[in-house]
Amino acid sequence: MRDLARKLLRRPGPLLGSILLGLFVVGALFGPALAPFDPEAQNLDSILAGPSATHWLGTDENGCDLLSQFLYGCRLSGLIAALVLTISFSLGVLLGTVAGYAGGWVDEVIMRVVDVLLAFPGILLNLAVAAMVKEPGVSHLVFALCLNGWVGFARVARGQVLSAREREHVLAARCLGAGPLRIVSVHILPNILPPLVVQATFTFAAVILAEASLSFLGLGPGQAHSWGALLSQGTTFLWLTYHLALVPGVAIATVVLACNLVGDGLQDLLDPRKSTADLAPRG
Amino acid sequence: MLGEGLSRYLLRRVATSAIALVGVCLLVFFLIHLIPGDPVDNMLGEMAPAAERTRLRKGLHLDEPLSAQLLRFARSMGDGSLGHSFRHVDRSVMSLIAEAFPYTLWLALAAMGIALLLALPLGVASALRPGTWVDGLAMTTSLLGVSIPNMWLGPMLLVAFSIHLAWLPGPAPNDPSAPAALLLPAITLGTALMAMLSRMTRASLLTVMGEDYIRTARAKGLSSWAVVLSHGLRNALIPVITVAGLQFGALLSGAIITEKVFGRPGLGTLLMRAITTRDYPVIQGTVLFLAFLYVLVNLLVDLTYGLVDPRIRRR
């Protein structure tokens, strides 16, 4: 993996993507500490103002500092994406590995559940779940996004396990009396990690987009300054000023672009034939 | 005519789609039970007045046993009504969907048209000049296209073409079906698909152009364009068109955001209005309708793909 990372960072696209993702992580970790103002603090003398020395990204219709809201939104997006990615990755890899290794009816049942969840295009299922709660909180959103977030990991893991379990070193371990748990954890999982990492980068982008889309539609966490909600708010003032819509939109697009650059680069290194395949879907 | 392998593939594909559809119905039925806690508390908040809570519980038949609820749900699907709206008295959910669907369908078709119209030249240009600035430009465009969210692209297009240049109508046009009113929403919705298809066209054409029959066609003395158009593109397009078809269902659901941005009527607007007014039967019905459509369109595309590609037919 370290060798892969070194090769990846030698290419300009993935390097740019990694730098941008690094900035996002810094924003998510230290955003509130870096914010120059309280995101709720109103400056009524400066309403819908453009960028200035005091308010670097301008202010909203209540005179609140947009940069501060943006940085708090960075924390929220990062938190939700990290939670969803961790849960989806763990659940998906677990179920996909079980399906691929066990085969038979276990595989059939898991794959049919995958089929059902894939029958909901885009954010439809997430939206439907979030719509069932009057005021969705972060936990509701994470639940809604995890509900089908694991599916991609399960499919990749299953496919990889199906091919890995027939390799010589796995057969040798089996002949030496290794149990299924040891074979999977020691001989299979470490070898199927790279494609799962590619899947993780695309899923990260998809989660950022899905969260922003739900917030944009008014189904995000109520009081928080999510990028989607900021964008939605910004679009209502398009006729007066467009910097309110510009900032969160550029931020969302940049993070998704960064994930695509890194994911594309990784995929190129692992399997050049597939380099044009699964880019993160847009919201 | 169909090989045994293909027949088995088709049968399996139909069977898995049927299972998926049953699963979709069950998942949509259990949607209100998915979130931990009392569904009525979740939907109205714990501070809601008792009368409103009782009304919702009765309206959703949550006071009945689960089996009776499931039977009622199945009956509403069987008679095609998908239940009755809370807000529009005496109107079935299906009648509301039927009213909104044509707007979304037109938008999705227009988006698909724009995506194909832009993706094919971009992909072909890129594949014919791999590694050059043309390729770089085309692939950068597609990378940006797939990364820019339509909830941002739409407003920016409005700023440029409706506010500054005043060339095209703004949000909530009087006639949403007019071509001018359809153009910006279609571009917004179709850009991501365009990006995906142009990359696919490039990859597919690059593979095909390396095949032996292309070399034979060249050796026969055919012009480069004849080789590309009648031998290369014709074969390279099969997977591209298939993916375009498979993405059609996604376009229909993707229209939710585009319709909000442009204030257009359609399934997305119906769904969002139902969410705002807590009209649960309409939420369930619209989600079910979109998921059904997605599964059926995907099945149809898969079956057609199996039938039109002679290489698959012979297998």
Side-chain angles (χ1 to χ4, degrees), chain A:
Chain A
M1 287 297 282
R2 200 172 296 160
D3 190 39
L4 190 70
R6 206 174 300 128
K7 276 186 194 162
L8 186 73
L9 294 179
R10 271 194 217 123
R11 297 169 166 226
L15 178 65
L16 176 66
S18 306
I19 292 170
L20 292 173
L21 273 182
L23 287 175
F24 173 71
V25 171
V26 169
L29 288 175
F30 307 109
L34 296 171
F37 296 95
D38 178 340
E40 303 282 340
Q42 298 182 341
N43 178 358
L44 297 177
D45 294 328
S46 172
I47 286 174
L48 289 177
S52 64
T54 321
H55 300 287
W56 289 5
L57 295 179
T59 58
D60 70 2
E61 76 280 14
N62 297 315
C64 301
D65 182 55
L66 193 57
L67 174 63
S68 304
Q69 294 183 346
F70 167 79
L71 286 168
Y72 273 79
C74 193
R75 155 75 57 96
L76 183 73
S77 293
L79 174 74
I80 292 176
L83 282 172
V84 173
L85 191 62
T86 309
I87 297 170
S88 300
F89 186 92
S90 312
L91 192 65
V93 173
L94 176 73
L95 290 174
T97 307
V98 169
Y101 195 80
W105 67 268
V106 177
D107 183 26
E108 275 298 319
V109 169
I110 293 175
M111 284 303 111
R112 292 299 75 79
V113 173
V114 166
D115 282 347
V116 171
L117 292 172
L118 285 176
F120 294 88
I123 57 161
L124 190 64
L125 183 62
N126 318 115
L127 190 144
V129 174
M132 292 296 139
V133 186
K134 192 182 180 210
E135 285 166 1
V138 171
S139 58
H140 293 119
L141 217 56
V142 170
F143 176 79
L145 294 170
C146 284
L147 193 62
N148 56 358
W150 61 273
V151 167
F153 291 107
R155 275 159 57 110
V156 173
R158 175 182 176 270
Q160 293 294 319
V161 170
L162 277 177
S163 98
R165 71 175 185 182
E166 303 303 331
R167 286 196 201 133
E168 282 85 355
H169 71 280
V170 175
L171 292 176
R174 200 175 292 144
C175 290
L176 288 170
L181 198 64
R182 183 173 172 79
I183 290 176
V184 168
S185 58
V186 177
H187 300 285
I188 293 183
L189 276 182
N191 288 308
I192 66 168
L193 264 183
L196 288 167
V197 173
V198 175
Q199 178 69 24
T201 53
F202 290 135
T203 303
F204 191 81
V207 173
I208 294 277
L209 268 179
E211 183 271 319
S213 303
L214 291 176
S215 299
F216 181 81
L217 292 171
L219 296 169
Q223 301 85 3
H225 303 280
S226 103
W227 285 352
L230 290 177
L231 181 55
S232 174
Q233 186 188 357
T235 56
T236 55
F237 294 98
L238 276 185
W239 264 252
L240 294 171
T241 176
Y242 54 85
H243 78 277
L244 283 181
L246 193 71
V247 172
V250 169
I252 299 166
T254 306
V255 176
V256 177
L257 179 69
C259 292
N260 281 336
L261 285 171
V262 173
D264 237 10
L266 272 173
Q267 206 161 55
D268 253 348
L269 284 176
L270 295 170
D271 183 2
R273 285 165 306 168
K274 276 189 74 186
S275 63
T276 57
D278 310 320
L279 280 171
R282 264 184 12 175

Side-chain angles (χ1 to χ4, degrees), chain A residues 118-121 127-128 131-134 212-213 216-217 231 235 238-239 245 249-250 257 260-261 264 276 279 282-283, chain B residues 24 27 32 42-44 143 145-148 150-152 155 159 171 188 192 199 203 253 260 272 275 278 294-295:
Chain A
L118 285 176
F120 294 88
L127 190 144
M132 292 296 139
V133 186
K134 192 182 180 210
S213 303
F216 181 81
L217 292 171
L231 181 55
T235 56
L238 276 185
W239 264 252
V250 169
L257 179 69
N260 281 336
L261 285 171
D264 237 10
T276 57
L279 280 171
R282 264 184 12 175
Chain B
V24 164
L27 189 53
I32 47 177
N42 285 335
M43 292 173 191
L44 296 177
L143 190 63
V146 90
S147 303
I148 296 175
N150 49 16
M151 61 189 148
W152 183 61
V159 167
T188 304
R199 290 165 72 97
S253 79
K260 179 182 155 91
M272 291 318 296
I275 290 172
R278 323 308 294 173
Y294 185 59
V295 174

